[in-house]
């Protein structure tokens, strides 16, 4: 019953709030009451994403501007501690991966199954919606996915970025035996490459940072190219190309490495907006270019990949911070490219 | 039997040859002997295409350079007059639409059904392969499609550009009720719009030439926009966008008029090659952009559309020239935008 | 505001209720109050469907059993007369086509865009959900589609069965130039054939009833086969086959008329359940067989087809009954195969 | 040069010929001369397939009847020893996997990329085309696929049945995280399950033979069900179902275990032909049922899967026979279900 909060809840909801660029404060809010179809989750692990760092540094990402104090964090997992009236099937104590974008469920996009394109989506840590750097979060029950007991809270949090990779692979129509070029060996590039490998494809991952290339190799991604030394267009040919750097010179170069009928998926975002592509290559090879925006219907597959070990998500975790050090977690992610994934444990701060 | 030419063939094969830019000469060649799986076609009608005009004027299109005298013309129909040993089913006297690109049939692209992307395709009037401005042509029997008796030779010739439109519609995944933006009301734009309408979609066609817009209206394309007065991005939103002008500013503008998950197909070619697209729009709406290159497996559908009257192909024919005036046909196409389609009748020159 | 009913509403909601098999009674209910995201619709036209007749006669269709009095009718249109708090965009006075199946919006099927497969769907006139043979109906606003002023209330009601046809065409992947076999020239078969023709395909429609074949011809469906005289397997070959009779002998026969890689869609339902298909034909031709269940995301396309005249829906309407003669409407549909579509006008009964 | 046979070829072409049911004779034929686009292959390994056993026992499979002496065997690999004039790229000494079905390359099916459905395909060991139980075979160069040096001749031969599995997975649209039901743990079922796993799916394999279930487990297929004890319809639900037994009771049962929108692919062939399926399940869940016939465009993917170790093909090989014991190889396959795959080594017979 949600009417009375369970006895063992902490009395307040401590959260890490971005009050202005470069400033995070720990504040305490009332514990939210779950709505009829919601559950209350005690947040256990939250990955730090590049978008969190952008908000922290610039107070904005493109058209999304932080105009009021904002709780960051959207790669989250936690344990169900309370629930609304109509949330059959999610019992207290269950560890869940939280899908952070809740769509309107009624628009053309939602009804067509493309709920990631819903114009009225509420997405955690996207202004003005508060995120998951908090002890408690109320979430629609159907956006909470129980994970097998073999998965840790950190693994469950990383289902979110793995979903980005799974979605990119779907958009790229990756299938058995495909040769796939992936540019960028950060967390999204690595998870995309691991998802592609899990789909029976052969990924080649590229970066200019030797440490990240070494990390890719350590993750078992045998084909890695240092693009300080090799030009993309000389690689391949590839069946698919997934761009994860956001560098606007890369899409055109990668396209030249594609086979006829090859697919290019642009995942990496850029503040500048002018993509330049070689029209004649696009036409003569009938390449298919698409952007990828978050994901839809990926959580079950991503959980399966993590649970089977096909994608060893926790191997990406390089540092863990308690809630009251969330700001250091953001700074570490920004400044140290050797840290692939930093996570925040909101429940651990109380213990310190 | 092909061993001996049928008695009623003309003694030589007169053809209109591009000997250098801006120069067409009528020359006589031996009548070709059809190979084992070929038929000999007496060419009855050949549409003049923008690519023919480019070769005539510049001696090249991008990487395709005319290095030796070249017979132009690839939108062709004719009557079977002779056949090789293994061409069952195509009887002399049959009017056929000729598919001008014959692929290798063995490469990865051919075997995957994408024979338009075959790197070894022989395509009429693409250097060094001679085209159809000639009295006779030997063609593989399976690239000749009998047309119903309701279709004229001109209609059969126009199956080729209609195929470009059908293919663009397939690449754009046009389906019932789709709103489709088509830029450019030249022959390809018009045929694409008519094909889209035949597929149950609602095409809006755009141009800057009032005569061509009027022509679109006359063809029953009720929604036409004069883009000297309206900005593309203000139109729509559309499910699909098919670009038929080759103007490099248009693709980005048209993309802004698309709905989420919209599809853009770039048909119009350009000498300049740098396509500039808004990355954020591509990503946030997950647009799909692809180039279209000729067509594959379209002739039966295109013939059906012409035969049923769904696409009134001959309404596009504005002028007819005999073979020895092929040069005037090229010049007229180049200089007069009100001529949508000019055709050459290679067999009529002898009569003059 | 929905709190107070608009002044000009009728004081009660008269409805035609199936109280037991073969018995319809007119009863009066309170006018429903629209919920927050609902509108109140004054029902103007309701088509009689075969399923209504089945419930009337047998009190059940397969597992769906009428256990309490049930209002029939699900092919409905009407005029918005009131609305809840959050239904922006649907103004009173708007004529709308009503999509009768409202899904849960949260399950795996809903979120994948297949809301027609939602296990918790509420569908009008499917026990225990009351249907549209009533003066007023409260409907979620996003399942009401405004229609252009060129469409009548009857046309708007027939968007529902036309949606079945559009969906069948989508499942059959109908495209330009396809040869399509459609068995059954009742309302669903005819609308499916008209939708296929609107999609640029060439439908052949079959029946054993000469009157229905004549009706098909009158609707412009030129290719019609009397299958008392011709065997299905001798027709064709076809790219697609859409079965609309429910006769269990027909699917196997129709499949034999398909080309390799042909698609068969089974729309017609049957009380008996054992479908018998020739395995070797399915395998050697790699045919694709699927069932079709209602529709999803079809209303905008169906409205477009009706509005453009591509599918002349009202040409199917053969008789109109007021609400208090709803029982006669059901009986007429059952007993007279020459009546393709009978409609009930719930608002007209008060005038009589 | 093919004009003169290379000096080190054996003087004759010994082959195992089925002269009548239950009778194999070793005979010697002239060494074939490769055509212009062919290579001559010294056959190194040939898997015994159930179809070979059927021809051996019954002299026929359905409509395919052995009317003249026939060399069996179509799962073949070998080393290139000679080549025709136009076979650039395949050097003598190269170990190749041989794709046994060579299509006409010109029909509608071939040009659409569905060359497995070509009505004029020549397929090894399908009457009247001789198969691969022979020392030498002339094969079109583009149907020979070089394999990496890590693969043995046996592995290269098993690319053929693995292709059947890859194709079944493609027809079933297997993707990341899918739950897949596979019935039958013979060679095709096991290879299909291994291919599905390599595609990131979770296969459950069923059989009634405990030895085969144990073998599945040994191959790492953790989810195996003994369907003597569990009913298929109680398993699941599954995203896809691939039937590999040919038992006509299984397809309907397996379909009941599918989720809405699930896909069923029927691979197993049957002498009886009447497939019985539950129509209401097909319709209410909109299941997609298709047959699978051989494969197209699968060899590169299958080779990649074998080479990467994702599918350990040689773990299926249980016995090896020289050419002059080909009959024992057929008998062993027929009589001992614990032998998953038996191979024949045509070149070894000379040494014995």
């Amino acid at each position: 019953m949600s009417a009375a909060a369970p006895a063992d809840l902490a009395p307040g909801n401590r959260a890490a709030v971005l009050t202005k660029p470069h400033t995070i404060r720990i504040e305490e809010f009332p514990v939210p009451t779950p709505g009829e179809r919601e559950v209350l989750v005690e947040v256990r692990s939250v990955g730090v994403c590049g978008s969190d760092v952008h908000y922290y540094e610039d107070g904005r990402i493109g058209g999304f501007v932080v105009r009021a104090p904002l709780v960051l964090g959207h790669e989250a997992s936690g344990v169900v501690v309370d629930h609304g009236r109509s949330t059959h099937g999610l019992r207290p104590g269950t560890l869940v991966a939280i899908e952070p974008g809740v769509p309107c469920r009624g628009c053309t996009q939602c009804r067509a199954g493309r709920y990631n394109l819903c114009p009225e989506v509420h997405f955690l840590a996207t202004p003005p919606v508060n995120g998951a750097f908090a002890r408690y979060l109320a979430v629609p029950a159907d956006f909470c996915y129980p994970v097998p007991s073999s998965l840790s809270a950190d693994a469950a949090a990383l289902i979110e970025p793995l979903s980005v990779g799974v979605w990119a692979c779907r958009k790229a129509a990756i299938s058995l035996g495909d040769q796939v070029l992936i540019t960028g060996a950060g967390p999204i590039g690595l998870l995309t490459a691991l998802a592609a490998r899990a789909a029976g494809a052969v990924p080649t991952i590229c970066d200019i940072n030797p440490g990240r290339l070494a990390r890719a190799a350590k993750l078992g991604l045998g084909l890695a190219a240092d693009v300080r030394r090799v030009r993309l267009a000389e690689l391949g040919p590839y069946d698919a190309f997934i761009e994860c750097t956001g560098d606007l010179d890369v899409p055109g170069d990668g396209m030249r490495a594609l086979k006829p009928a090859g697919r290019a998926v642009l995942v990496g975002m850029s503040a500048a907006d002018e993509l330049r592509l070689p029209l004649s290559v696009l036409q003569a090879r009938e390449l298919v270019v698409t952007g990828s925006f978050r994901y839809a219907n990926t959580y079950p597959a991503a959980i399966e990949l993590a649970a089977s070990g096909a994608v060893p998500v926790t191997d990406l975790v390089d540092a863990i911070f308690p809630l009251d050090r969330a700001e250091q977690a953001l700074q570490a992610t920004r400044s140290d490219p050797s840290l692939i994934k930093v996570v925040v444990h909101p429940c651990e701060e109380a213990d310190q």
Side-chain angles (χ1 to χ4, degrees), chain A:
Chain A
M1 272 302 296
S2 63
D8 56 351
L9 287 190
N13 189 17
R14 280 168 59 88
V17 186
L18 176 71
T19 54
K20 57 180 183 181
H22 293 278
T23 308
I24 299 282
R25 264 197 225 143
I26 304 299
E27 300 188 1
E28 191 158 312
F29 299 88
V31 175
T33 303
E36 181 180 342
R37 296 174 188 281
E38 290 185 329
V39 291
L40 185 69
V41 177
E42 188 180 80
V43 183
R44 290 292 171 85
S45 178
V46 189
V48 175
C49 172
S51 67
D52 297 312
V53 174
H54 275 296
Y55 285 125
Y56 173 70
E57 292 220 291
D58 305 330
R60 67 185 301 158
I61 298 178
F64 295 104
V65 181
V66 181
R67 301 187 193 282
L70 182 75
V71 178
L72 294 175
H74 64 268
E75 304 177 351
S77 72
V79 170
V80 174
V81 290
D82 193 10
H83 57 89
R85 220 166 3 109
S86 307
T87 58
H88 44 80
L90 266 188
R91 301 158 59 103
T94 306
L95 177 63
V96 294
I98 298 170
E99 183 170 352
V102 179
C104 82
R105 304 170 188 264
C107 70
T108 303
Q109 301 305 319
C110 283
R111 279 159 66 175
R114 300 183 296 255
Y115 65 78
N116 57 318
L117 305 182
C118 170
E120 298 182 36
V121 68
H122 285 78
F123 200 94
L124 294 183
T126 301
V129 180
N130 278 322
F133 284 166
R135 184 177 271 269
Y136 296 112
L137 205 58
V139 189
D142 58 349
F143 280 76
C144 291
Y145 299 78
V147 299
S149 57
S150 60
L151 289 187
S152 68
D154 292 339
L158 294 195
I159 296 304
E160 203 278 344
L162 176 54
S163 278
V164 174
V166 167
W167 186 245
C169 287
R170 283 196 197 152
K171 302 295 277 187
I174 298 301
S175 75
L176 284 173
D178 277 354
Q179 302 288 329
V180 184
L181 175 66
I182 291 153
T183 46
I188 294 300
L190 290 168
L191 287 167
T192 299
L194 291 167
R197 190 184 63 180
V202 185
T204 299
I205 193 160
C206 299
D207 208 302
I208 56 172
N209 180 311
R212 294 198 151 186
L213 290 168
R215 185 63 168 274
K218 206 171 150 192
L219 285 162
L221 296 166
L223 296 169
D226 185 335
V227 283
R228 293 170 307 171
R229 298 187 191 164
V230 189
R231 294 190 55 235
L232 277 184
E234 289 157 15
L235 298 171
Y238 294 97
D239 297 285
F241 159 45
I242 304 178
E243 205 302 297
C244 303
T245 70
D247 180 325
L248 284 173
D249 287 333
V250 175
D253 284 352
M255 274 173 54
R256 289 189 166 84
L258 283 171
K259 298 179 188 176
R263 296 90 60 188
V265 176
L266 308 183
V267 181
M269 300 171 80
S270 169
D273 199 34
E274 196 181 78
L275 183 62
R276 292 177 301 279
L277 301 177
L279 175 62
S280 60
V281 174
L282 185 81
Q283 290 181 320
R285 298 188 205 169
E286 289 195 341
L287 303 179
V288 178
V289 180
T290 188
S292 130
F293 190 68
R294 296 170 180 161
Y295 39 76
N297 302 307
T298 49
Y299 266 59
I303 290 169
E304 184 65 54
L305 294 181
S308 73
V311 177
V313 280
T314 47
D315 288 1
L316 273 70
V317 177
D318 291 317
I320 299 175
F321 292 83
L323 184 66
D324 50 14
R325 296 187 62 209
E327 188 157 11
Q328 285 95 319
L330 290 159
Q331 290 169 343
T333 297
R334 179 190 49 171
S335 58
D336 184 352
S338 77
L339 297 176
I340 293 298
K341 185 55 74 178
V342 168
V343 297
V344 170
H345 283 189
C347 292
E348 287 176 12
E349 55 79 41
D351 306 331
Q352 312 225 335

